[in-house]
Amino acid sequence: MNSSESKTLSFWEDDGRFSGIFSWIFTTDHKRIGLLYLYSVLSLFAVGVVIGLLMRLELIAPGSTIVGAQTYNAFFTVHGVVMIFLFVIPSIPASLGNLFLPMQLGAEDVAFPRINLLSWWLYIIGLILILISLFTGQGAPDTGWTFYVPFSEYTTTNVNVAVIGVFILGFSSILTGLNFITTIHRMRIPGMKWTKIPLFGWALYATGWIQVLATPILGITVLLIFIERTMGVGLFDPAKGGDPVLYQHLFWIYSHPAVYIMVVPAMGVVTEIIPVFARKHIFGYKAIALSSLGIAFAGSLVWAHHMFTSGMSDTAVMIFSFLTFIVAIPSAVKVFNWVATLYKGSIVLEPPLLYALAFIFLFSIGGLTGLVVGAAGTDIHVHDTYFVVGHFHYTIFGGTVFGMFGGLHYWFPKIYGKMYNKRVATTAWGILFIGFNVLYFPMLVLGIMGMPRRYFDYLPEYQLGHVVSTVGSWIVAVGLILMFYNLYRGIKNGEPAGKNPWNAATLEWTTLSPPPKLNFIEEPELTRGPYEYKGIEDDAQYQ
Amino acid sequence: MHAEEKHIVEFNVLFKVLIALFVLTGVTVLAGNIDLGYFNVVVALLIATAKASLVVFFFMHLKYEGGLFKIMVLLAFVILAIFIGFTFFDVAFRAN
Amino acid sequence: MTHNINKDYIGAKIGMWLFLFTEILLFGGLFVLYSVYLHRYPDEFHLAGQELNVYFGTANTLVLLTSSFSMALSITALQKENKKLCMVLLIITMVLACVFLVNKYFEWGAKIHHGIYPDSPTLLERPKGEIIFFGLYYIMTGLHGLHVLIGALIIFVVLVLVAKNRVTSSDFVAVENTGLYWHLVDMIWIYLFPLFYLVV
């Protein structure tokens, strides 16, 4: 084929060296890797959702409803491990980040395309190990996703394989972060100063640093679990001089920053969406960029707020409680800037914006309830109750996942070159938003009433809350099915979308939809800032 | 630009660094034999840090790299120091 | 469009440094544990540390420092287009890595021979602080030893690349990055040595 043909061929058709499925699983094209990740994480999301639905069904009435206690323990462990390590952590950076970061920078790929592919392969290997841990040995892990000692050292369930899987997943995440940091440093098109980088890029930059600096601690922590189980060194065993609380320190040194690996990219997506649909320059570009770095840094200081009731020193409880409130500052900076961007904008209520608005609302509830658990005094009351479960689902599902759905609806036309049915998308969003609150708000109430988390049974006075919550889970399921069905229909029979259906200003919208293999036909030129909408021509193909 | 990118560190510079590293190893072994109480750890870590700095700045060429590399290395060590230091908010004040 | 994305010299080095940070933090988790347990069991750590052989430790320190030196020299040699000297220096580095590992093997062997290894009955009879000390000793020097082994293998790969002229004086970032990795391994030992062999 001649070169001009190959240049306009979209990345879907341009197979490169291999053909068939090998042109996907051995690709070094960041867009194909992004899609591999997208389909992988969404499949795992489906698995996690099904287990979540089963858990809610079990909890519809006190006592054993559909499963026994041990199965329920496996359920919440697997739900947590799958959702955290296999879905949420890779979700936005590895899928949407891979797809759009290089394009937003005007680059033709990430800095290390082969390491990018390796990162997906490691993800698949980790995934396989975790699946093996479910179905072999003496049963699925029952420790919760946190693998707390001493139970994780002594349970006979298949923890060994699972922690090695988590170790490998950690490396996959590190390689993504390493790649993105280098890409942002080295691959920007000429003229793109640091203050011209789209804020999604800034979010991924901050996330990359957390991935690089915090994830290794998780690596060594789960490795130590493995070593303790196989060799009995005793580092966390009081009988041998160890200190189990130190396990919790190590675990949360990673896992608290990890919640910012989860949510900062979603904030980046929301920051991209809001100015486009408010037709206004983002309010406070530098404040938002710096607040991403600020969250990343402050998030590394506060891990021990997960341990207020673990027997830490009172001094540590007070210091970490105080430090926790610092994280609220950069988070609030973002929320205020988003709202200020919307203020007096000419708002177009398209599906991506609806998801972004839902993000702001749900994440604000998540963040404010976070202050309740971050304050040592109130935490003593709600620790390990459904309040905490409600809180982190508001931040992670309401935050990260709604952000990801918003990003999917925003970039969908760029990925597939087609548009989904916007009316159905709006309906699905409404169902999801209502279902979400019906599902999780009762958990906040249940928690304050004293319902402990991770229990498969409960006292009759908690039943009303549980029934409402379970009904909410069904509404969410309907919303998810409708949303994905609508997107699937869009891929199959959607209207052609054109280059720039949203009239956005970042570079990925200047190329074809779907983009060619090397992203741009001509070397792109940076003619405007990422949020300067003046003079953007209406896309002729799609209104 | 290229001269700065690809700096050549001369043999004799590297050799002097090696000698310094050997001397510091000797010093740290000797210091280990003197009982300074709690300060033994401090002295040992200071000498180790001096040695590590020599390795990082000369063997690893950090002295000849741009500011970006220096800031990044500093950041990594600051974060590690925070992880170790903040853990002591707990363990140093734990009532046994 | 330009197609030199794989030839970005500074980019390759940034990537390598970032990887080194992950290694530092990987060991960092263990240093967190070490510092807390040293704080908790200063006397036991002192007693147990005296059982380690300072001569072995010092010898291994000098071996590793010298290997770092030869590694650094090999880069300079390659930059000065002296391919043969570069290869000789890489081989010396590998040999020194093996010397280190053999040393370590005898050191561990002697301890295990005396019944001191994780979860051993002899060790479990000792005070708690000493159990932890030797636990950390085996895990930290073991993880470090694993890195020495991996480093030696990578140096071998780079040696082959230099021999085949795939790595040259104009494109030597592979040697440089291998060197960075090797120096990091050296640097971690620089801390492990006083903490285990010379500790109060």
Side-chain angles (χ1 to χ4, degrees):
Chain A
M1 97 183 62
N2 67 45
S3 66
S4 71
E5 248 182 62
S6 79
K7 274 187 166 180
T8 52
L9 209 57
S10 85
F11 77 97
W12 289 94
E13 298 147 328
D14 195 341
D15 279 349
R17 283 194 295 149
F18 302 96
S19 62
I21 186 161
F22 296 107
S23 70
W24 284 86
I25 61 177
F26 292 131
T27 184
T28 52
D29 178 359
H30 67 97
K31 298 179 290 302
R32 287 193 169 200
I33 295 172
L35 281 172
L36 288 175
Y37 261 119
L38 181 65
Y39 296 144
S40 319
V41 298
L42 289 180
S43 312
L44 270 302
F45 177 63
V47 173
V49 167
V50 169
I51 300 172
L53 286 169
L54 290 173
M55 283 158 69
R56 283 308 333 158
L57 191 57
E58 163 58 37
L59 291 170
I60 200 168
S64 179
T65 316
I66 56 166
V67 294
Q70 181 62 23
T71 314
Y72 185 81
N73 289 351
F75 274 176
F76 72 67
T77 303
V78 175
H79 176 79
V81 169
V82 165
M83 283 301 202
I84 298 285
F85 293 115
L86 292 168
F87 170 59
V88 180
I89 287 181
S91 63
I92 294 178
S95 64
L96 296 174
N98 249 322
L99 276 158
F100 293 106
L101 175 68
M103 274 193 256
Q104 289 198 320
L105 301 177
E108 61 185 35
D109 210 320
V110 293
F112 309 112
R114 279 178 295 182
I115 289 179
N116 204 14
L117 178 63
L118 173 66
S119 147
W120 182 74
W121 272 103
L122 289 175
Y123 171 82
I124 293 298
I125 294 170
L127 161 65
I128 291 170
L129 282 174
I130 284 182
L131 291 180
I132 288 175
S133 81
L134 303 188
F135 300 112
T136 60
Q138 301 191 45
D142 55 353
T143 57
W145 75 280
T146 49
F147 300 113
Y148 267 16
V149 296
F151 184 61
S152 60
E153 288 185 17
Y154 297 109
T155 176
T156 55
T157 54
N158 211 356
V159 170
N160 284 351
V161 182
V163 293
I164 294 299
V166 169
F167 181 82
I168 291 171
L169 289 172
F171 259 85
S172 161
S173 170
I174 287 172
L175 293 180
T176 303
L178 181 157
N179 224 329
F180 285 178
I181 295 174
T182 315
T183 305
I184 292 168
H185 273 286
R186 300 298 301 171
M187 309 284 287
R188 309 194 305 274
I189 67 167
M192 186 179 279
K193 293 180 292 185
W194 281 89
T195 49
K196 297 282 181 201
I197 299 174
L199 287 159
F200 184 52
W202 272 101
L204 290 175
Y205 186 71
T207 310
W209 274 106
I210 314 176
Q211 285 171 307
V212 164
L213 292 179
T215 315
I217 302 275
L218 173 77
I220 195 68
T221 311
V222 292
L223 214 53
L224 284 171
I225 290 275
F226 181 81
I227 292 172
E228 290 297 333
R229 285 177 65 86
T230 50
M231 287 184 264
V233 180
L235 289 181
F236 305 123
D237 181 354
K240 297 173 184 172
D243 182 350
V245 178
L246 279 182
Y247 171 84
Q248 298 187 16
H249 274 294
L250 285 183
F251 182 83
W252 289 112
I253 283 176
Y254 165 73
S255 295
H256 191 74
V259 306
Y260 302 104
I261 296 180
M262 303 174 201
V263 86
V264 171
M267 292 169 159
V269 172
V270 169
T271 315
E272 290 298 301
I273 291 173
I274 284 178
V276 171
F277 296 96
R279 310 307 303 160
K280 248 180 80 188
H281 194 286
I282 189 81
F283 183 90
Y285 174 96
K286 283 182 186 165
I288 293 182
L290 291 178
S291 68
S292 288
L293 298 179
I295 290 177
F297 183 72
S300 311
L301 311 177
V302 299
W303 70 84
H305 67 213
H306 294 264
M307 302 161 54
F308 288 158
T309 62
S310 300
M312 269 197 318
S313 74
D314 292 343
T315 317
V317 170
M318 280 187 283
I319 292 173
F320 280 106
S321 183
F322 168 74
L323 287 171
T324 299
F325 286 81
I326 291 176
V327 184
I329 298 169
S331 309
V333 164
K334 282 184 189 289
V335 172
F336 291 138
N337 278 316
W338 293 326
V339 176
T341 306
L342 288 167
Y343 178 67
K344 288 191 179 173
S346 18
I347 292 170
V348 198
L349 268 184
E350 301 276 18
L353 183 65
L354 290 173
Y355 279 102
L357 295 176
F359 173 99
I360 298 179
F361 178 77
L362 300 175
F363 183 77
S364 295
I365 294 182
L368 292 171
T369 51
L371 294 177
V372 176
V373 287
T378 42
D379 181 68
I380 304 294
H381 181 63
V382 296
H383 196 94
D384 268 343
T385 68
Y386 265 65
F387 190 85
V388 178
V389 181
H391 153 69
F392 69 68
H393 280 93
Y394 265 96
T395 55
I396 302 303
F397 191 171
T400 309
V401 182
F402 270 73
M404 184 180 185
F405 290 169
L408 268 182
H409 283 84
Y410 177 58
W411 278 306
F412 180 94
K414 183 53 66 181
I415 304 172
Y416 298 100
K418 296 182 178 167
M419 186 55 87
Y420 45 83
N421 182 328
K422 288 182 187 174
R423 191 174 298 168
V424 180
T426 307
T427 314
W429 169 84
I431 297 172
L432 259 182
F433 183 74
I434 293 166
F436 180 94
N437 286 295
V438 177
L439 169 55
Y440 294 113
F441 200 82
M443 292 193 184
L444 297 174
V445 181
L446 281 173
I448 289 175
M449 289 164 68
M451 170 75 206
R453 69 193 283 200
R454 289 181 172 174
Y455 277 40
F456 112 113
D457 197 2
Y458 53 82
L459 296 171
E461 60 255 41
Y462 299 126
Q463 191 173 7
L464 176 64
H466 277 297
V467 170
V468 173
S469 179
T470 302
V471 170
S473 75
W474 299 336
I475 304 175
V476 166
V478 171
L480 287 173
I481 291 169
L482 186 61
M483 186 193 90
F484 282 114
Y485 175 70
N486 183 43
L487 292 180
Y488 175 76
R489 279 274 306 274
I491 297 171
K492 287 286 161 204
N493 332 312
E495 301 277 327
K499 274 185 178 180
N500 191 0
W502 313 121
N503 301 326
T506 41
L507 278 172
E508 76 271 28
W509 300 103
T510 62
T511 186
L512 301 177
S513 304
K517 183 165 191 141
L518 297 176
N519 293 346
F520 301 95
I521 299 171
E522 305 281 317
E523 184 140 11
E525 266 181 71
L526 196 66
T527 51
R528 59 174 72 242
Y531 307 105
E532 289 164 15
Y533 300 107
K534 214 175 200 177
I536 288 186
E537 290 165 35
D538 242 359
D539 210 68
Q541 274 181 283
Y542 186 84
Q543 295 302 325
Chain B
M1 179 76 180
H2 268 264
E4 187 193 281
E5 268 184 32
K6 302 183 179 174
H7 189 94
I8 299 180
V9 188
E10 290 299 333
F11 289 140
N12 62 346
V13 175
L14 294 174
F15 187 68
K16 281 179 199 160
V17 172
L18 180 70
I19 297 301
L21 286 170
F22 273 27
V23 170
L24 284 171
T25 306
V27 172
T28 194
V29 172
L30 289 176
N33 288 328
I34 311 165
D35 189 6
L36 302 168
Y38 201 74
F39 280 98
N40 275 83
V41 186
V42 178
V43 169
L45 283 178
L46 282 177
I47 296 173
T49 303
K51 287 166 75 181
S53 309
L54 284 173
V55 170
V56 169
F57 280 103
F58 291 97
F59 286 176
M60 295 169 92
H61 298 186
L62 188 65
K63 182 173 190 285
Y64 313 102
E65 302 285 7
L68 171 67
F69 285 86
K70 287 172 183 155
I71 292 170
M72 289 197 330
V73 174
L74 184 68
L75 176 72
F77 282 102
V78 166
I79 291 289
L80 177 58
I82 287 172
F83 289 166
I84 295 176
F86 279 29
T87 307
F88 274 79
F89 286 140
D90 172 17
V91 293
F93 298 98
R94 194 90 65 81
N96 283 318
Chain C
M1 297 206 54
T2 52
H3 284 270
N4 58 357
I5 44 177
N6 291 322
K7 296 289 176 196
D8 180 2
Y9 173 71
I10 292 187
K13 278 204 295 188
I14 292 179
M16 191 64 203
W17 274 101
L18 290 172
F19 178 73
L20 297 188
F21 298 159
T22 70
E23 291 282 9
I24 292 171
L25 270 298
L26 186 78
F27 278 93
L30 293 171
F31 281 112
V32 170
L33 291 183
Y34 181 94
S35 58
V36 171
Y37 287 128
L38 175 67
H39 171 80
R40 190 164 299 166
Y41 305 113
D43 300 334
E44 289 89 339
F45 269 44
H46 179 58
L47 285 174
Q50 284 182 330
E51 283 177 45
L52 297 181
N53 190 324
V54 181
Y55 297 105
F56 260 116
T58 313
N60 253 353
T61 306
L62 298 180
V63 166
L64 216 50
L65 289 173
T66 313
S67 80
S68 232
F69 171 64
S70 61
M71 185 74 225
L73 285 184
S74 77
I75 297 163
T76 308
L78 188 63
Q79 285 172 323
K80 292 188 167 182
E81 301 185 15
N82 193 339
K83 178 180 157 187
K84 196 177 260 175
L85 180 62
C86 167
M87 287 175 63
V88 170
L89 287 162
L90 285 175
I91 291 170
I92 291 175
T93 311
M94 266 173 60
V95 169
L96 289 170
C98 294
V99 171
F100 179 90
L101 287 174
V102 169
N103 238 339
K104 197 90 246 164
Y105 170 81
F106 283 116
E107 216 186 334
W108 272 33
K111 277 274 160 297
I112 292 170
H113 184 72
H114 285 107
I116 295 178
Y117 53 90
D119 218 17
S120 72
T122 324
L123 185 60
L124 289 184
E125 284 171 11
R126 298 233 189 160
K128 286 176 177 176
E130 296 192 20
I131 302 177
I132 293 293
F133 179 86
F134 283 108
L136 284 169
Y137 167 75
Y138 277 106
I139 291 176
M140 291 176 88
T141 60
L143 189 63
H144 178 261
L146 190 66
H147 279 76
V148 172
L149 189 66
I150 294 169
L153 291 175
I154 296 173
I155 293 169
F156 178 74
V157 172
V158 168
L159 181 68
V160 173
L161 292 178
V162 174
K164 287 185 171 173
N165 286 326
R166 296 266 300 279
V167 172
T168 60
S169 60
S170 57
D171 178 21
F172 54 87
V173 75
V175 186
E176 197 169 355
N177 278 348
T178 308
L180 286 175
Y181 180 82
W182 190 249
H183 300 310
L184 179 89
V185 172
D186 186 25
M187 203 168 83
I188 288 166
W189 181 257
I190 286 176
Y191 281 96
L192 290 184
F193 170 59
L195 288 179
F196 283 107
Y197 294 82
L198 307 172
V199 86
V200 220

